[in-house]
Amino acid sequence: MSDVIQIYDSTLRDGAQAEGISFSVEDKIMIAQQLDDLGVHYIEGGWPNPTNPKDLEFFKRALDLEFKNAKISAFGSTRRANNPPEDDATLTTLLKAGTKVTCIFGKTWTLHVTDALRITLDENLQIIEDSCAWLKENGREVVYDAEHFFDGYKADPAYATNTLLAAQEGGAEILVLCDTNGGTLPTEVRDIITAIQPKLQTPLGIHTHNDAGMAVANSIIAVELGAIQVQGTFNGYGERCGNANLCSVIPNIELKLEKKAIGAENLTKLMKVSRFLSEVANVYHDHRQAYVGESAFAHKGGVHIDAMMKQPATYEHCDATTVGNERRYLLSEQSGGATMAAKLDHIIPGLDKRHPTAQKLLQKIKELEHEGHVFEAAEASFELLARRTLGTIREPFKLINYRTFNHRSTRSSAVEAIVKIEIDGTIYHTAGDGDGPVNALDAALRQGLEQVYPSLKGVHLEDYKVRVLSSAAGTAAKVRVLIETSDTKHTWSTVGVSENIIEASWIALVDSFTYKLMIDGLITTENKTV
Amino acid sequence: MSDVIQIYDSTLRDGAQAEGISFSVEDKIMIAQQLDDLGVHYIEGGWPNPTNPKDLEFFKRALDLEFKNAKISAFGSTRRANNPPEDDATLTTLLKAGTKVTCIFGKTWTLHVTDALRITLDENLQIIEDSCAWLKENGREVVYDAEHFFDGYKADPAYATNTLLAAQEGGAEILVLCDTNGGTLPTEVRDIITAIQPKLQTPLGIHTHNDAGMAVANSIIAVELGAIQVQGTFNGYGERCGNANLCSVIPNIELKLEKKAIGAENLTKLMKVSRFLSEVANVYHDHRQAYVGESAFAHKGGVHIDAMMKQPATYEHCDATTVGNERRYLLSEQSGGATMAAKLDHIIPGLDKRHPTAQKLLQKIKELEHEGHVFEAAEASFELLARRTLGTIREPFKLINYRTFNHRSTRSSAVEAIVKIEIDGTIYHTAGDGDGPVNALDAALRQGLEQVYPSLKGVHLEDYKVRVLSSAAGTAAKVRVLIETSDTKHTWSTVGVSENIIEASWIALVDSFTYKLMIDGLITTENKTV
């Protein structure tokens, strides 16, 4: 892949360092699969070491999975001073992770070598060289991250260059220049890369942080100068101000530099993956994010919209659909249904979008998305919505009412729910208690449903997430609940939106049971022609 | 101010084009005063024209105010074809705004001239020149914005340059190069500016959009090449992906390029103004924002924190206090005891960590983190926990009990809460309703508390997040609720963990009110020696 710019994703490692972000092992597996599907070349899974049981488990589980595009990489450091590589805990644990690729960082900055590591400058060069060499000897592809490269170069250009030469001598496949503190300006990046390039035979990569708002610019300049790998994270997650945002880097490479990274076809999935990451990380999806933000192609000014209608190039630097986004006119609410039609096609292949029922469904989806539903992360709810509109399922029960009670005093607490539903003319009036109101509702609803649909006994809730949609109104804001459910064979996600967290949870809960009954073939009806 | 880089703020004009942002006239006045106080040189108040009554009123009111640093600028376009300047509605309304400065944009791109304006290329040059000249004759300082400059230059370099020469001929004080579509890369900006500079006598300015994530980089490169004015917005607000974020541009000019913009003293107010803008715009303050984000100097990784303690330059590109931000050590599963001790030191300077009370507190924190608290995202709860353990605050009230009721049927729904608390021997038994149970509890609790602590009326909830801690147990799993609260001056975060989402929310809610009363000095007690 000589002409391809390699995308090295560190969302699971550097991204997990972001304030407020914490991925479970299950999250990490799901993310890795999405990134692989997107065509990312490397996925850095974490730092395997005994104090990081989560990362160890991720590597263990990832070994059993098949990735069609990505190589999994394990991250660590060069060996400690005085440790021979074979006795060094970091290097041996890296090998134990069992990945094809390892990425190790070493010290570039003389200050760090003499003051932090407290070793001689020559010893540090030796450490870099033999750490790389030992991993190579053990069959690993070696990515060398030159920590603090630009700051180190500014302090001592010759020594910084020598650390790269040591890694090259050790057999590293790529030398990645890191702007660890994120404070380097584009002009400095240009000058420094231009100066070191003639001295090296090994290809360069770039790893930047965004502390001066330059991470994307610095990455692109490095690629222009010949770097063949960009390390970054999705949505720019990372410690402090985050890493280079791959959601900006990738389209800039593909659309502006006209070089291949993940390819044009995969590029159309970019926005979906960006939103998926926000959902899993349970953080706000930045609406103003370049390329993949919901506002990135949203036009508000009247003058702009008039001009846009005549000639899109007037106020758009590229076609929104290339990254899976879409143009929106905020005043006229003219957003196109192409994305939704594509989703629908997935459920009912060959559906004619001009048919009135299909049109009605597209309209309904638009309304719901406007209200805050995200069907990207709740495909089961999307499918149910489609089938309900097309009339190809019947509802498994009719709600008459539900109530929840919650009492708390210094001495006691109690949570109860009462649910009254009707199935085929029979009333089921059941009660349940639980640790919280949703748990109590779950218990009460099951009691009724399981009498008619015993297969629901095998269903359990895997995950439950809540997002506030409009934070301005505080506890009165609209909330979105996402529920992940599974039986022995499948896992599915449903969504509910309401100002009341209990009602939003109820909607998602009902969808999750309904979906189970649908895949079991218990509530499907004849496919009507549409 | 020959050596000063001029900051031209367009938050009130381009910023107001952002999706979800709408400023009242009152908002605009408040913002202008804050920007003036910060030392911004130009404040673009809006586009005064009859269809924009808000902007007209802003200019009317701004005329009566005194600004100590900033000049108010009115924005508009060059005259229409065939209109003599003195009969042109746009130009005459611009003059009526009564500002010292006017900024007008003209067409650079041949495509726009021939296809949109439908005039000859020469006519366009004449329009640019005499629009500038007429405003000059009428005593205005004229800023000329060359719309689509970089795209226009790429299409026809000679013509694009001629439009600038026309504005120069008309007497414009500054020629501002606009990347209107935001798709230009830094290297193109560098090459184009370098090419045109020898042909012009008038100083250059830069106005960029962020559609490729390059707005800040492009602005800084222009300044490096000699541009003396940067146009941008606070927090990068603006249509689509927004404008160049002045909160990144200004510190990059001051701290990286070491040129004067607003000066070192004003720079320390930057974070405060950034947060103020988020408050007024009523949008989420981006935590990862360069320089002024809450996470910009927040360290999470254990390795990083250890290194930081020894030598801050290790993972910080500049001193947080220069922009009014502060260094934070996040408490997380990745951080050790040193981090907690450092945080504690911030609350009680000089505290001896070996003291039994300090030890007890550290032990308590560890237990709570094990249960699922994350103090990294809830510093207010951390501080309250510390002060409770050290005995330096008293609780503002005693809970007797609370209850919530939630009812839903096909026809109706209702949510109510009843709260019974005791303050100084008096019982407050109050009720509230709301969109959801937490909102209802908030309403009921406030009713009681505000009778004794009226300052709580100024407190509102900004954000509310829920995470399921052990997803395996589904709706019975433990949940963590994070609440972000603010008054006019501060923003703080609190946490609650419980199996019951309502109880977890209650804990976070009580902490959020308690913290407010603590910073107001209403419940602090003598500092005990520890």
Side-chain angles (χ1 to χ4, degrees):
Chain A
M1 49 184 203
S2 59
D3 282 343
V4 169
I5 303 303
Q6 302 164 2
I7 303 301
Y8 183 104
D9 178 85
S10 186
T11 307
L12 302 181
R13 205 264 308 168
D14 250 5
Q17 297 275 19
E19 179 167 13
I21 289 183
S22 168
F23 297 125
S24 68
V25 176
E26 198 53 56
D27 289 339
K28 285 188 154 206
I29 296 285
M30 284 199 304
I31 293 168
Q33 287 170 325
Q34 287 274 334
L35 294 177
D36 177 54
D37 183 61
L38 184 70
V40 158
H41 307 95
Y42 294 90
I43 297 170
E44 191 171 78
W47 186 328
N49 77 44
T51 64
N52 254 347
K54 238 193 234 174
D55 287 4
L56 288 176
E57 193 186 334
F58 169 80
F59 286 112
K60 210 174 131 203
R61 289 187 53 186
L63 275 183
D64 295 333
L65 297 172
E66 240 177 76
F67 292 97
K68 58 186 182 193
N69 294 303
K71 298 182 201 171
I72 303 295
S73 174
F75 180 83
S77 72
T78 50
R79 67 167 173 84
R80 283 185 174 251
N82 308 319
N83 279 0
E86 61 275 17
D87 296 338
D88 185 73
T90 303
L91 293 182
T92 50
T93 319
L94 262 179
L95 283 189
K96 269 191 219 142
T99 57
K100 286 193 188 118
V101 184
T102 53
C103 176
I104 53 168
F105 74 92
K107 299 288 183 197
T108 313
W109 199 345
T110 49
L111 174 83
H112 286 230
V113 178
T114 53
D115 286 25
L117 294 186
R118 289 176 196 172
I119 56 175
T120 69
L121 296 177
D122 279 346
E123 274 177 298
N124 180 50
L125 296 178
Q126 194 55 52
I127 285 173
I128 294 170
E129 181 180 334
D130 60 26
S131 297
C132 290
W134 194 72
L135 291 170
K136 279 293 286 180
E137 280 162 30
N138 282 278
R140 297 302 186 269
E141 179 180 334
V142 178
V143 174
Y144 177 70
D145 269 18
E147 197 195 23
H148 289 297
F149 180 75
F150 297 96
D151 293 316
Y153 187 92
K154 284 189 266 179
D156 187 337
Y159 185 73
T161 312
N162 285 339
T163 64
L164 296 179
L165 290 169
Q168 174 174 288
E169 194 59 34
E173 260 83 6
I174 189 159
L175 308 173
V176 181
L177 311 179
C178 302
D179 184 24
T180 309
N181 291 6
T184 307
L185 296 188
T187 302
E188 295 173 313
V189 168
R190 170 178 306 277
D191 293 346
I192 293 173
I193 293 181
T194 306
I196 59 166
Q197 239 167 355
K199 296 170 185 153
L200 302 165
Q201 282 80 53
T202 308
L204 294 178
I206 183 84
H207 174 119
T208 59
H209 285 258
N210 204 32
D211 299 73
M214 300 297 185
V216 173
N218 288 345
S219 302
I220 292 302
I221 284 169
V223 172
E224 287 177 326
L225 294 173
I228 64 158
Q229 179 179 109
V230 179
Q231 299 191 344
T233 62
F234 267 72
N235 297 331
Y237 299 145
E239 195 156 29
R240 306 187 315 270
C241 305
N243 289 55
N245 185 350
L246 291 176
C247 298
S248 309
V249 167
I250 294 171
N252 278 332
I253 291 171
E254 297 265 350
L255 304 174
K256 303 288 173 187
L257 303 184
E258 296 179 0
K259 287 174 193 278
K260 190 179 172 193
I262 58 173
E265 200 182 322
N266 284 330
L267 191 62
T268 62
K269 302 177 208 158
L270 194 70
M271 183 167 179
K272 186 174 77 79
V273 177
S274 165
R275 287 178 65 151
F276 169 81
L277 258 294
S278 292
E279 286 300 321
V280 177
N282 203 11
V283 295
Y284 181 77
H285 191 249
D286 181 6
H287 281 235
R288 283 207 319 274
Q289 199 177 155
Y291 295 102
V292 297
E294 287 79 355
S295 302
F297 299 89
H299 303 277
K300 184 170 169 186
V303 176
H304 284 200
I305 292 173
D306 279 356
M308 285 291 307
M309 298 280 189
K310 291 176 195 148
Q311 168 63 270
T314 327
Y315 292 103
E316 272 179 11
H317 69 120
C318 73
D319 180 347
T321 60
T322 56
V323 292
N325 206 333
E326 61 177 351
R327 179 182 307 147
R328 290 156 59 220
Y329 296 113
L330 297 179
L331 294 180
S332 47
E333 303 277 34
Q334 289 292 316
S335 77
T339 318
M340 296 165 201
K343 280 185 218 161
L344 198 52
D345 211 40
H346 189 71
I347 297 170
I348 306 140
L351 174 74
D352 182 355
K353 282 105 205 160
R354 284 160 308 185
H355 191 284
T357 313
Q359 282 296 316
K360 192 175 130 199
L361 176 58
L362 292 178
Q363 188 53 40
K364 180 81 188 155
I365 293 165
K366 241 197 254 180
E367 284 166 27
L368 288 171
E369 293 208 323
H370 186 75
E371 278 174 29
H373 285 71
V374 277
F375 292 110
E376 272 90 351
E379 307 227 318
S381 284
F382 178 78
E383 188 162 346
L384 288 174
L385 174 69
R387 295 194 186 280
R388 279 167 182 150
T389 311
L390 302 171
T392 60
I393 54 165
R394 60 175 181 83
E395 297 302 327
F397 71 92
K398 190 171 157 260
L399 172 70
I400 296 166
N401 61 50
Y402 71 73
R403 277 169 291 166
T404 66
F405 307 90
N406 192 71
H407 169 82
R408 167 102 177 112
S409 73
T410 39
R411 283 180 309 276
S412 68
S413 75
V415 185
E416 281 178 288
I418 300 174
V419 172
K420 195 173 187 180
I421 58 174
E422 183 192 320
I423 306 174
D424 296 332
T426 308
I427 299 289
Y428 298 83
H429 198 168
T430 51
D433 53 14
D435 293 314
V438 183
N439 184 226
L441 271 177
D442 182 12
L445 178 59
R446 275 170 185 274
Q447 263 203 63
L449 289 177
E450 286 174 6
Q451 295 178 48
V452 182
Y453 309 108
S455 74
L456 291 179
K457 282 176 188 151
V459 171
H460 61 277
L461 272 72
E462 290 284 336
D463 204 355
Y464 172 83
K465 280 182 181 163
V466 183
R467 287 291 303 273
V468 172
L469 296 177
S470 46
S471 63
T475 49
K478 204 175 261 191
V479 291
R480 174 170 69 220
V481 168
L482 285 169
I483 287 182
E484 196 183 293
T485 320
S486 64
D487 59 13
T488 46
K489 275 185 264 162
H490 306 92
T491 298
W492 60 93
S493 294
T494 53
V495 63
V497 174
S498 168
E499 268 116 17
N500 182 346
I501 195 168
I502 295 176
E503 173 68 6
S505 306
W506 170 265
I507 295 167
L509 198 61
V510 168
D511 264 12
S512 113
F513 290 141
T514 306
Y515 187 81
K516 163 68 175 167
L517 299 175
M518 186 200 80
I519 55 177
D520 286 354
L522 297 171
I523 55 167
T524 43
T525 59
E526 278 295 290
N527 226 333
K528 286 189 190 171
T529 313
V530 288
Chain B
M1 51 185 202
S2 59
D3 282 343
V4 170
I5 304 303
Q6 303 164 2
I7 302 301
Y8 183 104
D9 178 84
S10 186
T11 307
L12 302 182
R13 204 265 308 169
D14 251 4
Q17 298 275 19
E19 181 168 11
I21 290 183
S22 168
F23 296 126
S24 67
V25 176
E26 198 53 54
D27 290 340
K28 287 189 153 204
I29 295 287
M30 282 199 304
I31 293 169
Q33 287 170 324
Q34 286 274 333
L35 295 177
D36 177 55
D37 182 60
L38 183 69
V40 157
H41 307 96
Y42 295 89
I43 297 169
E44 191 171 78
W47 186 329
N49 76 45
T51 65
N52 253 348
K54 236 194 236 176
D55 287 4
L56 288 176
E57 191 185 336
F58 169 79
F59 286 112
K60 210 175 131 203
R61 289 186 52 186
L63 277 182
D64 295 333
L65 296 171
E66 238 177 78
F67 293 96
K68 57 186 182 191
N69 294 303
K71 298 182 201 173
I72 302 297
S73 174
F75 181 82
S77 72
T78 50
R79 67 167 172 84
R80 284 183 174 253
N82 307 320
N83 279 0
E86 60 276 18
D87 295 338
D88 186 73
T90 302
L91 292 183
T92 49
T93 320
L94 261 180
L95 282 190
K96 268 190 219 144
T99 57
K100 286 193 187 117
V101 185
T102 54
C103 176
I104 54 169
F105 74 92
K107 299 289 183 196
T108 312
W109 200 344
T110 50
L111 174 84
H112 286 230
V113 178
T114 53
D115 285 27
L117 294 185
R118 290 178 195 169
I119 56 174
T120 68
L121 295 177
D122 279 345
E123 275 176 298
N124 181 50
L125 295 179
Q126 194 54 53
I127 285 172
I128 295 170
E129 182 180 333
D130 60 27
S131 296
C132 290
W134 194 72
L135 291 170
K136 279 291 287 182
E137 281 162 29
N138 283 277
R140 297 301 186 267
E141 179 180 333
V142 178
V143 175
Y144 177 70
D145 268 17
E147 197 194 23
H148 290 297
F149 181 76
F150 297 96
D151 293 317
Y153 187 92
K154 285 188 269 181
D156 188 336
Y159 185 74
T161 311
N162 284 339
T163 64
L164 295 180
L165 290 169
Q168 175 175 288
E169 194 59 34
E173 259 84 7
I174 189 160
L175 309 173
V176 182
L177 312 179
C178 302
D179 185 25
T180 309
N181 291 5
T184 308
L185 296 188
T187 301
E188 296 173 313
V189 168
R190 170 179 306 278
D191 294 346
I192 294 172
I193 293 181
T194 307
I196 60 167
Q197 238 167 357
K199 296 168 185 153
L200 303 164
Q201 281 80 54
T202 309
L204 294 178
I206 184 83
H207 174 120
T208 59
H209 284 259
N210 204 32
D211 298 73
M214 300 296 185
V216 172
N218 287 345
S219 302
I220 293 301
I221 284 170
V223 172
E224 286 177 327
L225 294 173
I228 64 157
Q229 180 179 108
V230 179
Q231 298 190 345
T233 63
F234 266 72
N235 297 329
Y237 298 144
E239 195 156 28
R240 306 188 314 272
C241 305
N243 290 54
N245 185 349
L246 292 177
C247 298
S248 309
V249 167
I250 294 171
N252 278 332
I253 292 172
E254 297 264 351
L255 305 174
K256 303 287 173 187
L257 302 184
E258 296 179 0
K259 288 174 193 276
K260 191 180 172 193
I262 58 174
E265 200 182 323
N266 284 330
L267 191 62
T268 60
K269 302 177 209 158
L270 194 70
M271 182 165 179
K272 187 175 75 81
V273 176
S274 166
R275 288 177 67 148
F276 169 81
L277 258 295
S278 292
E279 283 293 310
V280 178
N282 208 3
V283 295
Y284 188 72
H285 192 249
D286 181 5
H287 281 235
R288 285 209 317 275
Q289 200 177 155
Y291 294 101
V292 297
E294 287 80 355
S295 302
F297 299 89
H299 304 275
K300 184 168 167 185
V303 177
H304 283 201
I305 292 173
D306 280 355
M308 282 293 305
M309 300 272 188
K310 290 175 195 150
Q311 168 62 272
T314 327
Y315 292 102
E316 272 178 11
H317 69 121
C318 73
D319 180 347
T321 59
T322 55
V323 291
N325 206 332
E326 61 174 352
R327 179 182 308 146
R328 290 157 59 221
Y329 295 115
L330 302 178
L331 301 169
S332 78
E333 50 190 333
Q334 287 147 357
S335 58
T339 318
M340 295 177 200
K343 281 204 71 81
L344 204 51
D345 210 39
H346 188 75
I347 298 171
I348 305 137
L351 174 74
D352 182 355
K353 282 104 205 162
R354 285 159 305 185
H355 191 283
T357 313
Q359 282 297 316
K360 192 176 133 201
L361 177 57
L362 292 176
Q363 188 53 40
K364 181 81 186 156
I365 293 166
K366 254 194 239 174
E367 282 165 29
L368 288 171
E369 294 212 319
H370 187 73
E371 278 174 32
H373 285 69
V374 278
F375 291 110
E376 62 161 74
E379 307 216 323
S381 284
F382 177 78
E383 187 163 347
L384 288 174
L385 173 69
R387 293 195 187 280
R388 280 166 182 149
T389 311
L390 302 173
T392 60
I393 53 165
R394 59 177 182 83
E395 297 303 328
F397 71 92
K398 190 171 159 260
L399 172 71
I400 295 164
N401 61 50
Y402 72 74
R403 276 168 294 167
T404 66
F405 307 91
N406 192 72
H407 168 83
R408 167 102 177 112
S409 72
T410 39
R411 283 180 308 276
S412 68
S413 74
V415 186
E416 281 177 287
I418 300 174
V419 171
K420 196 174 185 179
I421 57 174
E422 184 192 319
I423 306 174
D424 296 331
T426 307
I427 300 288
Y428 298 83
H429 198 170
T430 52
D433 52 15
D435 293 314
V438 182
N439 185 226
L441 271 178
D442 182 13
L445 178 58
R446 275 171 185 272
Q447 263 204 60
L449 288 177
E450 286 173 8
Q451 295 179 46
V452 182
Y453 309 108
S455 73
L456 292 179
K457 283 175 189 154
V459 171
H460 61 276
L461 272 71
E462 290 284 335
D463 203 355
Y464 173 83
K465 278 185 183 164
V466 183
R467 283 287 299 199
V468 172
L469 296 177
S470 46
S471 63
T475 48
K478 204 175 260 192
V479 292
R480 173 172 67 221
V481 168
L482 285 169
I483 288 182
E484 197 182 294
T485 320
S486 65
D487 58 14
T488 45
K489 275 185 262 160
H490 307 91
T491 299
W492 59 94
S493 295
T494 53
V495 62
V497 174
S498 167
E499 268 113 19
N500 183 345
I501 195 168
I502 295 175
E503 173 67 6
S505 306
W506 169 266
I507 294 167
L509 199 60
V510 167
D511 265 11
S512 114
F513 290 141
T514 306
Y515 187 81
K516 164 67 176 168
L517 299 175
M518 186 202 81
I519 56 176
D520 286 353
L522 296 172
I523 55 167
T524 42
T525 59
E526 276 296 290
N527 226 333
K528 285 190 191 172
T529 312
V530 287

